[in-house]
Amino acid sequence: MSIGPVQLIVLGFRHPDFHGEIIAELERLRQSDTIRVIDALAVYKGGDGEFEVEHLSNLTTEEAVELGSKVGALIGLGVDGEEGMEAGAEVGAEMGAQGLQVFDDEDAWDVLSEIPNDTAAALLLIEHNWAVPLRDAVARAGGFRLADGFISPLDLVTIGLVSAEEAKELHDLEISAAR
C-alpha cells in the first residue's frame, strides 16, 4: 500500500503560546521517517462558537499539491469554504456509489463540537510510517484492526506499567493546560 496507517489527533490549547517546539518535534519525526504530517489545521473557536481556521503544514510544496486539505474534508470544515466541503462530499458520494462504506452517522466524531469556546485546537492528520511493516505483516497473517486509542496514564497504574506517582505526573502534564 502507498500510505501507512493514518490518525487524526486533536490537541486543545486554552491560550496558545506557540514557540515552534511542536513544529520542530513534528519535523524531527518526519526527518527520522517515523511519521508524516499529511495535513494540519489550527482552529480558533471564539466565545460565540464561530471558527477561524489556519492551514499548517510541514509538507513540501509537491506533497501539499498532491494531498490538498484533507483535515477539513475529513471533519466537514471547508478550509476552501463551501467549495471545499462540496468537493469532499462529492468524493464521498462517488465512493459510496462504488459500494464502499466510507463513513456513517453512527461512527461520526464531531471534532469541532468538542473544541471548547474561547480555545484553539491543532488538528493533525498523521501517517504512521513506522507502522507500515507491522500493518502489512498483520494483513499477511489474516489480521485486521478492531479498535485503537490512547490509554490514560492513570490506567497504566493498574497493570503495573507505571507507579501511581508517575501516572499522576503524566496525567497532570497532559491536562495542565485544560485547567
Side-chain angles (χ1 to χ4, degrees):
M1 296 207 151
S2 61
I3 192 164
V6 175
Q7 178 181 26
L8 177 64
I9 300 174
V10 181
L11 307 168
F13 300 89
R14 286 225 180 268
H15 306 286
D17 187 18
F18 303 117
H19 300 287
E21 273 185 276
I22 296 169
I23 292 171
E25 182 58 19
L26 290 170
E27 188 58 34
R28 185 190 69 75
L29 291 167
R30 176 187 170 91
Q31 294 301 320
S32 68
D33 204 33
T34 305
I35 66 163
R36 173 175 68 142
V37 177
I38 295 172
D39 193 19
L41 293 179
V43 177
Y44 301 93
K45 189 172 182 183
D48 59 0
E50 292 294 315
F51 295 101
E52 289 182 37
V53 180
E54 182 179 335
H55 195 257
L56 309 170
S57 181
N58 70 342
L59 296 176
T60 65
T61 303
E62 184 178 289
E63 289 172 324
V65 168
E66 174 193 343
L67 295 169
S69 181
K70 300 301 184 198
V71 172
L74 184 65
I75 65 168
L77 180 65
V79 175
D80 297 325
E82 231 173 274
E83 289 176 18
M85 286 194 290
E86 287 174 12
E90 286 175 19
V91 170
E94 287 173 18
M95 294 181 82
Q98 295 172 13
L100 292 174
Q101 177 62 36
V102 181
F103 204 66
D104 61 28
D105 289 338
E106 191 175 304
D107 295 330
W109 174 26
D110 188 356
V111 172
L112 298 175
S113 71
E114 292 189 24
I115 302 171
N117 288 358
D118 286 325
T119 66
L123 287 75
L124 306 170
L125 191 62
I126 295 176
E127 176 185 11
H128 291 277
N129 295 333
W130 64 269
V132 171
L134 175 61
R135 181 217 38 217
D136 293 350
V138 168
R140 285 190 299 272
F144 50 92
R145 181 178 59 89
L146 290 173
D148 55 67
F150 286 108
I151 307 299
S152 166
L154 300 176
D155 295 327
L156 299 177
V157 175
T158 59
I159 61 171
L161 197 55
V162 297
S163 70
E165 184 179 304
E166 290 169 321
K168 183 177 178 345
E169 288 174 16
L170 291 169
H171 178 72
D172 288 348
L173 178 66
E174 285 184 354
I175 66 163
S176 63
R179 293 182 185 165

